[in-house]
Amino acid sequence: MGNITFTMIKPEAVASGNTGAIFSKIEEAGFRIVALKKIHLSAERAGEFYEVHKERPFYGELVDYMSESPIVAAILEKDNAVLDFRTLIGATNPEDALEGTIRKEFATSLAMNAIHGSDSDENANIEAEFHFSANERF
Ligand code: UDP
Ligand code: MG
């Protein structure tokens, strides 16, 4: 099991002032912040990040949403980081997210679901490298 995962607090959660509350939950759950920054993704960068979903019907909407205003990106460290973080954030659709999960508390819809979490160790490394250089990690 790998020990890092990658996350983004999504635009609507940043804009509504929930970044700090969400990071409190993340740190309380035992994740250590390795890297952290606030950035405004261009549509091109958002599209590249979500390239895997290019053929899905929601891709255009997802790219518009993720590039509409700033996000907060982070690399997080913990044993079994990828799976434990997916458990902490909850199901993609907040209607299916369990009580106590970040999406249950902060997501507003299936599209605007507050937070991203990597789905595999391989993608965690790819996504971390997409957003952070080696000298931004501590
Ligand atoms: N999404 C959407 N409609 C869908 C499925 C996904 O708008 O039917 C958005 C949602 O913001 C989700 C993102 O696309 O978080 C990526 O989808 P994925 O299936 O990878 O979900 P995740 O890994 O984020 O839970
Ligand atoms: Mg995913």
Side-chain angles (χ1 to χ4, degrees):
M1 292 300 168
N3 67 345
I4 68 137
T5 192
F6 172 78
T7 189
M8 295 182 287
I9 313 301
K10 296 185 176 183
E12 91 288 2
V14 172
S16 55
N18 288 320
T19 305
I22 292 172
F23 272 100
S24 285
K25 281 185 163 282
I26 291 170
E27 288 193 312
E28 277 163 20
F31 291 87
R32 192 181 74 78
I33 297 168
V34 172
L36 180 68
K37 68 179 157 195
K38 186 174 188 177
I39 40 175
H40 192 159
L41 294 175
S42 64
E44 190 184 6
R45 287 279 288 170
E48 204 182 323
F49 184 86
Y50 281 112
E51 191 114 45
V52 56
H53 293 310
K54 200 167 48 192
E55 305 305 329
R56 310 280 291 278
F58 58 85
Y59 179 72
E61 198 185 321
L62 178 61
V63 169
D64 289 348
Y65 155 52
M66 290 302 297
S67 58
E68 77 189 6
S69 64
I71 59 140
V72 174
I75 301 172
L76 303 171
E77 182 182 72
K78 183 185 180 297
D79 289 344
N80 200 30
V82 166
L83 284 177
D84 285 1
F85 194 70
R86 293 293 300 202
T87 301
L88 177 66
I89 70 177
T92 306
N93 187 339
E95 287 178 11
D96 302 328
L98 299 180
E99 212 56 57
T101 61
I102 289 172
R103 281 170 166 167
K104 179 72 176 180
E105 187 171 349
F106 296 102
T108 52
S109 68
L110 169 59
M112 297 191 177
N113 58 6
I115 190 163
H116 169 82
S118 305
D119 63 6
S120 65
D121 290 338
E122 186 189 2
N123 283 335
N125 284 306
I126 292 169
E127 292 171 359
E129 280 166 26
F130 183 86
H131 284 287
F132 293 98
S133 58
N135 65 6
E136 292 176 309
R137 301 181 184 204
F138 302 95

PDB file of all heavy atoms in Angstrom, residues 105-135:
ATOM      1  N   GLU A 105     -20.927  16.168   4.285  1.00  0.00           N
ATOM      2  CA  GLU A 105     -21.049  17.462   4.972  1.00  0.00           C
ATOM      3  C   GLU A 105     -20.939  18.659   4.026  1.00  0.00           C
ATOM      4  O   GLU A 105     -21.644  19.650   4.208  1.00  0.00           O
ATOM      5  CB  GLU A 105     -19.975  17.551   6.065  1.00  0.00           C
ATOM      6  CG  GLU A 105     -20.123  18.778   6.950  1.00  0.00           C
ATOM      7  CD  GLU A 105     -19.205  18.751   8.156  1.00  0.00           C
ATOM      8  OE1 GLU A 105     -18.599  17.691   8.445  1.00  0.00           O
ATOM      9  OE2 GLU A 105     -19.091  19.804   8.808  1.00  0.00           O
ATOM     10  N   PHE A 106     -20.080  18.569   3.012  1.00  0.00           N
ATOM     11  CA  PHE A 106     -19.748  19.779   2.250  1.00  0.00           C
ATOM     12  C   PHE A 106     -20.173  19.768   0.778  1.00  0.00           C
ATOM     13  O   PHE A 106     -20.187  20.825   0.147  1.00  0.00           O
ATOM     14  CB  PHE A 106     -18.241  20.049   2.317  1.00  0.00           C
ATOM     15  CG  PHE A 106     -17.758  20.350   3.711  1.00  0.00           C
ATOM     16  CD1 PHE A 106     -17.101  19.381   4.465  1.00  0.00           C
ATOM     17  CD2 PHE A 106     -17.975  21.601   4.284  1.00  0.00           C
ATOM     18  CE1 PHE A 106     -16.661  19.650   5.758  1.00  0.00           C
ATOM     19  CE2 PHE A 106     -17.538  21.883   5.573  1.00  0.00           C
ATOM     20  CZ  PHE A 106     -16.876  20.911   6.318  1.00  0.00           C
ATOM     21  N   ALA A 107     -20.478  18.610   0.186  1.00  0.00           N
ATOM     22  CA  ALA A 107     -20.832  18.575  -1.235  1.00  0.00           C
ATOM     23  C   ALA A 107     -22.230  19.139  -1.440  1.00  0.00           C
ATOM     24  O   ALA A 107     -23.108  18.974  -0.586  1.00  0.00           O
ATOM     25  CB  ALA A 107     -20.764  17.148  -1.755  1.00  0.00           C
ATOM     26  N   THR A 108     -22.431  19.783  -2.602  1.00  0.00           N
ATOM     27  CA  THR A 108     -23.752  20.327  -2.898  1.00  0.00           C
ATOM     28  C   THR A 108     -24.478  19.546  -3.994  1.00  0.00           C
ATOM     29  O   THR A 108     -25.687  19.637  -4.117  1.00  0.00           O
ATOM     30  CB  THR A 108     -23.663  21.818  -3.271  1.00  0.00           C
ATOM     31  OG1 THR A 108     -22.691  21.968  -4.313  1.00  0.00           O
ATOM     32  CG2 THR A 108     -23.194  22.658  -2.091  1.00  0.00           C
ATOM     33  N   SER A 109     -23.745  18.773  -4.808  1.00  0.00           N
ATOM     34  CA  SER A 109     -24.368  17.961  -5.861  1.00  0.00           C
ATOM     35  C   SER A 109     -23.359  16.919  -6.345  1.00  0.00           C
ATOM     36  O   SER A 109     -22.197  16.945  -5.935  1.00  0.00           O
ATOM     37  CB  SER A 109     -24.789  18.840  -7.042  1.00  0.00           C
ATOM     38  OG  SER A 109     -23.641  19.355  -7.693  1.00  0.00           O
ATOM     39  N   LEU A 110     -23.795  16.041  -7.236  1.00  0.00           N
ATOM     40  CA  LEU A 110     -22.888  15.043  -7.827  1.00  0.00           C
ATOM     41  C   LEU A 110     -21.712  15.731  -8.519  1.00  0.00           C
ATOM     42  O   LEU A 110     -20.563  15.300  -8.375  1.00  0.00           O
ATOM     43  CB  LEU A 110     -23.670  14.168  -8.824  1.00  0.00           C
ATOM     44  CG  LEU A 110     -22.869  13.235  -9.736  1.00  0.00           C
ATOM     45  CD1 LEU A 110     -22.033  12.239  -8.928  1.00  0.00           C
ATOM     46  CD2 LEU A 110     -23.818  12.474 -10.675  1.00  0.00           C
ATOM     47  N   ALA A 111     -21.969  16.783  -9.255  1.00  0.00           N
ATOM     48  CA  ALA A 111     -20.885  17.497  -9.940  1.00  0.00           C
ATOM     49  C   ALA A 111     -20.056  18.303  -8.943  1.00  0.00           C
ATOM     50  O   ALA A 111     -18.826  18.212  -8.915  1.00  0.00           O
ATOM     51  CB  ALA A 111     -21.464  18.412 -11.012  1.00  0.00           C
ATOM     52  N   MET A 112     -20.728  19.078  -8.116  1.00  0.00           N
ATOM     53  CA  MET A 112     -20.043  19.957  -7.145  1.00  0.00           C
ATOM     54  C   MET A 112     -19.927  19.221  -5.818  1.00  0.00           C
ATOM     55  O   MET A 112     -20.662  19.502  -4.863  1.00  0.00           O
ATOM     56  CB  MET A 112     -20.812  21.266  -6.998  1.00  0.00           C
ATOM     57  CG  MET A 112     -20.842  22.038  -8.298  1.00  0.00           C
ATOM     58  SD  MET A 112     -21.457  23.700  -8.057  1.00  0.00           S
ATOM     59  CE  MET A 112     -21.271  24.354  -9.705  1.00  0.00           C
ATOM     60  N   ASN A 113     -18.972  18.282  -5.804  1.00  0.00           N
ATOM     61  CA  ASN A 113     -18.893  17.401  -4.633  1.00  0.00           C
ATOM     62  C   ASN A 113     -17.698  17.710  -3.722  1.00  0.00           C
ATOM     63  O   ASN A 113     -17.208  16.841  -3.016  1.00  0.00           O
ATOM     64  CB  ASN A 113     -18.943  15.930  -5.067  1.00  0.00           C
ATOM     65  CG  ASN A 113     -17.822  15.578  -6.022  1.00  0.00           C
ATOM     66  OD1 ASN A 113     -16.950  16.386  -6.278  1.00  0.00           O
ATOM     67  ND2 ASN A 113     -17.838  14.353  -6.523  1.00  0.00           N
ATOM     68  N   ALA A 114     -17.273  18.965  -3.752  1.00  0.00           N
ATOM     69  CA  ALA A 114     -16.373  19.552  -2.729  1.00  0.00           C
ATOM     70  C   ALA A 114     -14.910  19.150  -2.784  1.00  0.00           C
ATOM     71  O   ALA A 114     -14.041  19.947  -2.476  1.00  0.00           O
ATOM     72  CB  ALA A 114     -16.920  19.327  -1.316  1.00  0.00           C
ATOM     73  N   ILE A 115     -14.629  17.887  -3.133  1.00  0.00           N
ATOM     74  CA  ILE A 115     -13.248  17.416  -2.961  1.00  0.00           C
ATOM     75  C   ILE A 115     -12.918  16.283  -3.928  1.00  0.00           C
ATOM     76  O   ILE A 115     -13.792  15.479  -4.280  1.00  0.00           O
ATOM     77  CB  ILE A 115     -13.042  16.986  -1.485  1.00  0.00           C
ATOM     78  CG1 ILE A 115     -11.556  16.718  -1.170  1.00  0.00           C
ATOM     79  CG2 ILE A 115     -13.936  15.804  -1.107  1.00  0.00           C
ATOM     80  CD1 ILE A 115     -11.240  16.700   0.319  1.00  0.00           C
ATOM     81  N   HIS A 116     -11.653  16.236  -4.328  1.00  0.00           N
ATOM     82  CA  HIS A 116     -11.116  15.141  -5.148  1.00  0.00           C
ATOM     83  C   HIS A 116     -10.221  14.255  -4.293  1.00  0.00           C
ATOM     84  O   HIS A 116      -9.538  14.742  -3.403  1.00  0.00           O
ATOM     85  CB  HIS A 116     -10.282  15.722  -6.299  1.00  0.00           C
ATOM     86  CG  HIS A 116      -9.476  14.691  -7.025  1.00  0.00           C
ATOM     87  ND1 HIS A 116     -10.018  13.887  -8.005  1.00  0.00           N
ATOM     88  CD2 HIS A 116      -8.179  14.298  -6.886  1.00  0.00           C
ATOM     89  CE1 HIS A 116      -9.075  13.050  -8.440  1.00  0.00           C
ATOM     90  NE2 HIS A 116      -7.953  13.280  -7.780  1.00  0.00           N
ATOM     91  N   GLY A 117     -10.212  12.961  -4.598  1.00  0.00           N
ATOM     92  CA  GLY A 117      -9.239  12.046  -4.002  1.00  0.00           C
ATOM     93  C   GLY A 117      -8.776  11.061  -5.051  1.00  0.00           C
ATOM     94  O   GLY A 117      -9.599  10.534  -5.816  1.00  0.00           O
ATOM     95  N   SER A 118      -7.476  10.785  -5.113  1.00  0.00           N
ATOM     96  CA  SER A 118      -6.934   9.836  -6.100  1.00  0.00           C
ATOM     97  C   SER A 118      -7.576   8.466  -5.922  1.00  0.00           C
ATOM     98  O   SER A 118      -7.949   8.076  -4.810  1.00  0.00           O
ATOM     99  CB  SER A 118      -5.424   9.683  -5.917  1.00  0.00           C
ATOM    100  OG  SER A 118      -4.791  10.927  -5.964  1.00  0.00           O
ATOM    101  N   ASP A 119      -7.665   7.702  -7.042  1.00  0.00           N
ATOM    102  CA  ASP A 119      -8.321   6.389  -6.977  1.00  0.00           C
ATOM    103  C   ASP A 119      -7.344   5.212  -6.978  1.00  0.00           C
ATOM    104  O   ASP A 119      -7.771   4.059  -6.902  1.00  0.00           O
ATOM    105  CB  ASP A 119      -9.348   6.247  -8.106  1.00  0.00           C
ATOM    106  CG  ASP A 119      -8.717   6.306  -9.492  1.00  0.00           C
ATOM    107  OD1 ASP A 119      -7.468   6.343  -9.601  1.00  0.00           O
ATOM    108  OD2 ASP A 119      -9.480   6.304 -10.471  1.00  0.00           O
ATOM    109  N   SER A 120      -6.035   5.464  -7.083  1.00  0.00           N
ATOM    110  CA  SER A 120      -5.046   4.376  -7.044  1.00  0.00           C
ATOM    111  C   SER A 120      -3.687   4.973  -6.685  1.00  0.00           C
ATOM    112  O   SER A 120      -3.481   6.187  -6.826  1.00  0.00           O
ATOM    113  CB  SER A 120      -4.946   3.691  -8.411  1.00  0.00           C
ATOM    114  OG  SER A 120      -4.428   4.609  -9.368  1.00  0.00           O
ATOM    115  N   ASP A 121      -2.760   4.114  -6.257  1.00  0.00           N
ATOM    116  CA  ASP A 121      -1.404   4.599  -5.958  1.00  0.00           C
ATOM    117  C   ASP A 121      -0.761   5.187  -7.202  1.00  0.00           C
ATOM    118  O   ASP A 121      -0.083   6.220  -7.150  1.00  0.00           O
ATOM    119  CB  ASP A 121      -0.534   3.448  -5.424  1.00  0.00           C
ATOM    120  CG  ASP A 121      -0.956   2.991  -4.040  1.00  0.00           C
ATOM    121  OD1 ASP A 121      -1.599   3.777  -3.321  1.00  0.00           O
ATOM    122  OD2 ASP A 121      -0.642   1.844  -3.680  1.00  0.00           O
ATOM    123  N   GLU A 122      -0.975   4.522  -8.341  1.00  0.00           N
ATOM    124  CA  GLU A 122      -0.393   5.004  -9.597  1.00  0.00           C
ATOM    125  C   GLU A 122      -0.910   6.407  -9.931  1.00  0.00           C
ATOM    126  O   GLU A 122      -0.127   7.318 -10.238  1.00  0.00           O
ATOM    127  CB  GLU A 122      -0.733   4.022 -10.727  1.00  0.00           C
ATOM    128  CG  GLU A 122      -0.058   4.367 -12.028  1.00  0.00           C
ATOM    129  CD  GLU A 122      -0.564   3.539 -13.211  1.00  0.00           C
ATOM    130  OE1 GLU A 122      -1.484   2.714 -13.034  1.00  0.00           O
ATOM    131  OE2 GLU A 122      -0.036   3.750 -14.314  1.00  0.00           O
ATOM    132  N   ASN A 123      -2.235   6.596  -9.840  1.00  0.00           N
ATOM    133  CA  ASN A 123      -2.790   7.921 -10.146  1.00  0.00           C
ATOM    134  C   ASN A 123      -2.415   8.957  -9.092  1.00  0.00           C
ATOM    135  O   ASN A 123      -2.268  10.140  -9.414  1.00  0.00           O
ATOM    136  CB  ASN A 123      -4.306   7.836 -10.326  1.00  0.00           C
ATOM    137  CG  ASN A 123      -4.665   7.251 -11.673  1.00  0.00           C
ATOM    138  OD1 ASN A 123      -3.884   7.338 -12.621  1.00  0.00           O
ATOM    139  ND2 ASN A 123      -5.833   6.631 -11.767  1.00  0.00           N
ATOM    140  N   ALA A 124      -2.258   8.548  -7.846  1.00  0.00           N
ATOM    141  CA  ALA A 124      -1.818   9.493  -6.803  1.00  0.00           C
ATOM    142  C   ALA A 124      -0.469  10.093  -7.186  1.00  0.00           C
ATOM    143  O   ALA A 124      -0.264  11.312  -7.078  1.00  0.00           O
ATOM    144  CB  ALA A 124      -1.721   8.787  -5.447  1.00  0.00           C
ATOM    145  N   ASN A 125       0.442   9.275  -7.658  1.00  0.00           N
ATOM    146  CA  ASN A 125       1.763   9.777  -8.055  1.00  0.00           C
ATOM    147  C   ASN A 125       1.685  10.655  -9.300  1.00  0.00           C
ATOM    148  O   ASN A 125       2.319  11.710  -9.364  1.00  0.00           O
ATOM    149  CB  ASN A 125       2.728   8.613  -8.256  1.00  0.00           C
ATOM    150  CG  ASN A 125       3.186   8.049  -6.922  1.00  0.00           C
ATOM    151  OD1 ASN A 125       3.681   8.783  -6.068  1.00  0.00           O
ATOM    152  ND2 ASN A 125       3.001   6.760  -6.721  1.00  0.00           N
ATOM    153  N   ILE A 126       0.887  10.219 -10.285  1.00  0.00           N
ATOM    154  CA  ILE A 126       0.729  11.018 -11.508  1.00  0.00           C
ATOM    155  C   ILE A 126       0.126  12.387 -11.170  1.00  0.00           C
ATOM    156  O   ILE A 126       0.603  13.437 -11.619  1.00  0.00           O
ATOM    157  CB  ILE A 126      -0.164  10.264 -12.532  1.00  0.00           C
ATOM    158  CG1 ILE A 126       0.573   9.029 -13.056  1.00  0.00           C
ATOM    159  CG2 ILE A 126      -0.592  11.187 -13.666  1.00  0.00           C
ATOM    160  CD1 ILE A 126      -0.309   8.075 -13.872  1.00  0.00           C
ATOM    161  N   GLU A 127      -0.926  12.399 -10.334  1.00  0.00           N
ATOM    162  CA  GLU A 127      -1.627  13.650  -9.995  1.00  0.00           C
ATOM    163  C   GLU A 127      -0.756  14.553  -9.134  1.00  0.00           C
ATOM    164  O   GLU A 127      -0.754  15.784  -9.303  1.00  0.00           O
ATOM    165  CB  GLU A 127      -2.946  13.317  -9.293  1.00  0.00           C
ATOM    166  CG  GLU A 127      -3.936  12.636 -10.233  1.00  0.00           C
ATOM    167  CD  GLU A 127      -5.181  12.097  -9.538  1.00  0.00           C
ATOM    168  OE1 GLU A 127      -5.303  12.229  -8.305  1.00  0.00           O
ATOM    169  OE2 GLU A 127      -6.041  11.529 -10.240  1.00  0.00           O
ATOM    170  N   ALA A 128      -0.005  13.972  -8.208  1.00  0.00           N
ATOM    171  CA  ALA A 128       0.903  14.758  -7.358  1.00  0.00           C
ATOM    172  C   ALA A 128       1.955  15.444  -8.226  1.00  0.00           C
ATOM    173  O   ALA A 128       2.250  16.633  -8.051  1.00  0.00           O
ATOM    174  CB  ALA A 128       1.552  13.863  -6.312  1.00  0.00           C
ATOM    175  N   GLU A 129       2.492  14.711  -9.181  1.00  0.00           N
ATOM    176  CA  GLU A 129       3.520  15.282 -10.073  1.00  0.00           C
ATOM    177  C   GLU A 129       2.940  16.307 -11.038  1.00  0.00           C
ATOM    178  O   GLU A 129       3.627  17.233 -11.460  1.00  0.00           O
ATOM    179  CB  GLU A 129       4.240  14.157 -10.833  1.00  0.00           C
ATOM    180  CG  GLU A 129       5.290  13.500  -9.956  1.00  0.00           C
ATOM    181  CD  GLU A 129       5.793  12.171 -10.514  1.00  0.00           C
ATOM    182  OE1 GLU A 129       5.734  11.978 -11.740  1.00  0.00           O
ATOM    183  OE2 GLU A 129       6.234  11.342  -9.688  1.00  0.00           O
ATOM    184  N   PHE A 130       1.670  16.151 -11.371  1.00  0.00           N
ATOM    185  CA  PHE A 130       0.997  17.118 -12.260  1.00  0.00           C
ATOM    186  C   PHE A 130       0.966  18.505 -11.610  1.00  0.00           C
ATOM    187  O   PHE A 130       1.076  19.532 -12.278  1.00  0.00           O
ATOM    188  CB  PHE A 130      -0.426  16.621 -12.533  1.00  0.00           C
ATOM    189  CG  PHE A 130      -1.238  17.458 -13.484  1.00  0.00           C
ATOM    190  CD1 PHE A 130      -1.155  17.270 -14.860  1.00  0.00           C
ATOM    191  CD2 PHE A 130      -2.111  18.429 -13.001  1.00  0.00           C
ATOM    192  CE1 PHE A 130      -1.919  18.039 -15.735  1.00  0.00           C
ATOM    193  CE2 PHE A 130      -2.877  19.200 -13.870  1.00  0.00           C
ATOM    194  CZ  PHE A 130      -2.779  18.999 -15.240  1.00  0.00           C
ATOM    195  N   HIS A 131       0.812  18.545 -10.281  1.00  0.00           N
ATOM    196  CA  HIS A 131       0.620  19.820  -9.573  1.00  0.00           C
ATOM    197  C   HIS A 131       1.829  20.312  -8.787  1.00  0.00           C
ATOM    198  O   HIS A 131       1.895  21.503  -8.469  1.00  0.00           O
ATOM    199  CB  HIS A 131      -0.565  19.698  -8.604  1.00  0.00           C
ATOM    200  CG  HIS A 131      -1.897  19.752  -9.272  1.00  0.00           C
ATOM    201  ND1 HIS A 131      -2.434  20.911  -9.779  1.00  0.00           N
ATOM    202  CD2 HIS A 131      -2.798  18.783  -9.532  1.00  0.00           C
ATOM    203  CE1 HIS A 131      -3.614  20.660 -10.312  1.00  0.00           C
ATOM    204  NE2 HIS A 131      -3.855  19.375 -10.186  1.00  0.00           N
ATOM    205  N   PHE A 132       2.748  19.436  -8.421  1.00  0.00           N
ATOM    206  CA  PHE A 132       3.840  19.853  -7.530  1.00  0.00           C
ATOM    207  C   PHE A 132       5.195  19.370  -8.039  1.00  0.00           C
ATOM    208  O   PHE A 132       5.331  18.217  -8.449  1.00  0.00           O
ATOM    209  CB  PHE A 132       3.618  19.288  -6.119  1.00  0.00           C
ATOM    210  CG  PHE A 132       2.421  19.854  -5.408  1.00  0.00           C
ATOM    211  CD1 PHE A 132       1.219  19.159  -5.383  1.00  0.00           C
ATOM    212  CD2 PHE A 132       2.495  21.090  -4.765  1.00  0.00           C
ATOM    213  CE1 PHE A 132       0.100  19.679  -4.735  1.00  0.00           C
ATOM    214  CE2 PHE A 132       1.385  21.623  -4.115  1.00  0.00           C
ATOM    215  CZ  PHE A 132       0.183  20.919  -4.095  1.00  0.00           C
ATOM    216  N   SER A 133       6.196  20.260  -7.934  1.00  0.00           N
ATOM    217  CA  SER A 133       7.566  19.841  -8.220  1.00  0.00           C
ATOM    218  C   SER A 133       8.190  19.278  -6.940  1.00  0.00           C
ATOM    219  O   SER A 133       7.644  19.456  -5.835  1.00  0.00           O
ATOM    220  CB  SER A 133       8.374  21.022  -8.740  1.00  0.00           C
ATOM    221  OG  SER A 133       8.350  22.056  -7.784  1.00  0.00           O
ATOM    222  N   ALA A 134       9.317  18.601  -7.086  1.00  0.00           N
ATOM    223  CA  ALA A 134       9.957  17.936  -5.945  1.00  0.00           C
ATOM    224  C   ALA A 134      10.296  18.935  -4.836  1.00  0.00           C
ATOM    225  O   ALA A 134      10.187  18.605  -3.647  1.00  0.00           O
ATOM    226  CB  ALA A 134      11.215  17.204  -6.414  1.00  0.00           C
ATOM    227  N   ASN A 135      10.687  20.166  -5.195  1.00  0.00           N
ATOM    228  CA  ASN A 135      11.066  21.137  -4.155  1.00  0.00           C
ATOM    229  C   ASN A 135       9.881  21.845  -3.506  1.00  0.00           C
ATOM    230  O   ASN A 135      10.060  22.740  -2.685  1.00  0.00           O
ATOM    231  CB  ASN A 135      12.106  22.150  -4.686  1.00  0.00           C
ATOM    232  CG  ASN A 135      11.542  23.024  -5.791  1.00  0.00           C
ATOM    233  OD1 ASN A 135      10.348  22.976  -6.104  1.00  0.00           O
ATOM    234  ND2 ASN A 135      12.407  23.834  -6.385  1.00  0.00           N
TER     235      ASN A 135
END
